[in-house]
Amino acid sequence: MPKQIQTARAAIFKDAHLSRAFELNGFVVLPLLNEQEVVQLRAGYQAAAFNHPNGFYSTSFSPNETLKKQLSQQIEQIVAPKASQLFEEFTPLGSCYLSKAPGPSGQMPIHQDWTVVDEAVYDSYTIWIPLQDVDSNNGALQVIPGSHRFSTALRSPFFESALLDVEPELRKDLQLIELKAGGAIIFSQALMHASPANSAQTPRLAVTYGLIPAAAELLFYYRNPQTQAAEKYSVPASFFELYNTQIGQKPALGTLLESFSYVIKPISQSDYWLE
């Protein structure tokens, strides 16, 4: 497990055992959907007639806002009640389908998702649910347990990754999470994760549902190209559903909270060690 340099934050699971596991590892695995719900979600995606673009694709990238909203709603109709059973009060951030076409271009490098809350106080959560059995052959998720507390670097599409110099060390510590269709991995958006290419003959399909604690303010970090200063925005819960088609642009929604000098410090090989 990587050395943790941040203190634990109280997880918002209703079940104390899940909270403790999440605080320690940055993720939990559990059964979530039944067979009928899996079939229903797959049928909803197929009816939308997406043609499984090469590599990894999220329906949140679609410029068709009507279709994107329709797909998000059909996921939420099934997943939101499950989330309400698992978590204390939370704010949902939206849902989407994730497809991974066969072929090498679908490999996802080790990364962390964007910083969207004050991580000194809160975690942000992703529920990831495959709609078929997943393993090393078709692109199951890989995670590094405990890595959600390893770095305090801010993450957004405007900041370079702090992990580039230590990827060989990180890759040795990846653990593959095999899941049955309808199973779920719920992970911190600060957790280091990746996935191999899909070597099967058919696309790998999953759904994802994001949430943050109800008490947390939703944030987005932007680097001003003129001043090179980091800018911290408070944004509405619908922000990321809209912004995924505008990545690379200054956020059109939200309130600027502060502007500050910020330089990413790359993690060195000597910084990374296992207990």
Side-chain angles (χ1 to χ4, degrees):
M1 179 180 294
K3 176 178 65 174
Q4 296 191 351
I5 62 173
Q6 292 185 314
T7 57
R9 306 177 281 272
I12 59 170
F13 289 94
K14 293 179 179 179
D15 184 286
H17 296 289
L18 289 178
S19 285
R20 285 195 290 271
F22 186 90
E23 290 165 15
L24 176 65
N25 296 314
F27 71 96
V28 295
V29 174
L30 69 167
L32 198 65
L33 305 185
N34 61 38
E35 183 177 354
Q36 181 181 354
E37 291 165 334
V38 170
V39 170
Q40 185 177 341
L41 286 172
R42 288 190 67 88
Y45 179 82
Q46 291 163 353
F50 271 93
N51 64 350
H52 300 291
N54 289 333
F56 171 84
Y57 184 78
S58 168
T59 55
S60 66
F61 301 157
S62 172
N64 186 332
E65 295 295 337
T66 300
L67 178 58
K68 184 163 60 175
K69 185 174 182 179
Q70 172 193 326
L71 294 174
S72 179
Q73 287 176 340
Q74 68 187 25
I75 297 168
E76 290 177 9
Q77 185 177 19
I78 291 175
V79 179
K82 313 283 187 181
S84 295
Q85 293 172 1
L86 288 169
F87 292 98
E88 304 290 354
E89 291 186 42
F90 64 86
T91 301
L93 302 183
S95 303
C96 61
Y97 286 90
L98 305 174
S99 68
K100 177 177 285 199
S105 62
Q107 180 176 356
M108 291 292 288
I110 300 170
H111 66 284
Q112 299 164 287
D113 296 332
W114 299 346
T115 307
V116 299
V117 294
D118 178 356
E119 291 185 346
V121 183
Y122 303 106
D123 273 299
S124 51
Y125 301 78
T126 293
I127 305 176
W128 191 92
I129 310 165
L131 301 182
Q132 68 285 294
D133 296 355
V134 290
D135 54 27
S136 59
N137 185 54
N138 65 348
L141 286 190
Q142 302 164 304
V143 301
I144 301 179
S147 59
H148 60 315
R149 304 282 186 256
F150 179 64
S151 171
T152 59
L154 295 176
R155 308 176 306 277
S156 94
F158 298 93
F159 301 142
E160 61 275 15
S161 171
L163 307 178
L164 297 179
D165 293 343
V166 290
E167 180 152 347
E169 283 73 21
L170 299 177
R171 191 153 292 280
K172 296 173 187 175
D173 298 323
L174 284 172
Q175 295 184 14
L176 187 85
I177 306 297
E178 295 188 356
L179 291 171
K180 296 293 186 181
I185 176 171
I186 304 175
F187 61 92
S188 167
Q189 294 183 2
L191 186 73
M192 297 179 195
H193 59 286
S195 64
N198 180 3
S199 301
Q201 299 300 309
T202 56
R204 187 215 70 190
L205 188 62
V207 295
T208 186
Y209 181 94
L211 61 100
I212 60 174
E217 184 174 26
L218 188 62
L219 304 173
F220 181 74
Y221 290 89
Y222 170 75
R223 190 183 293 283
N224 187 306
Q226 278 75 45
T227 65
Q228 292 302 304
E231 296 181 351
K232 175 182 175 183
Y233 287 82
S234 174
V235 296
S238 61
F239 176 81
F240 295 103
E241 290 185 285
L242 301 172
Y243 189 72
N244 272 343
T245 57
Q246 305 165 3
I247 293 174
Q249 301 177 32
K250 181 176 181 178
L253 294 174
T255 302
L256 178 62
L257 299 178
E258 63 175 308
S259 178
F260 54 96
S261 176
Y262 186 73
V263 177
I264 295 287
K265 179 186 176 184
I267 297 170
S268 69
Q269 293 186 12
S270 61
D271 292 329
Y272 186 80
W273 58 279
L274 300 179
E275 294 178 340

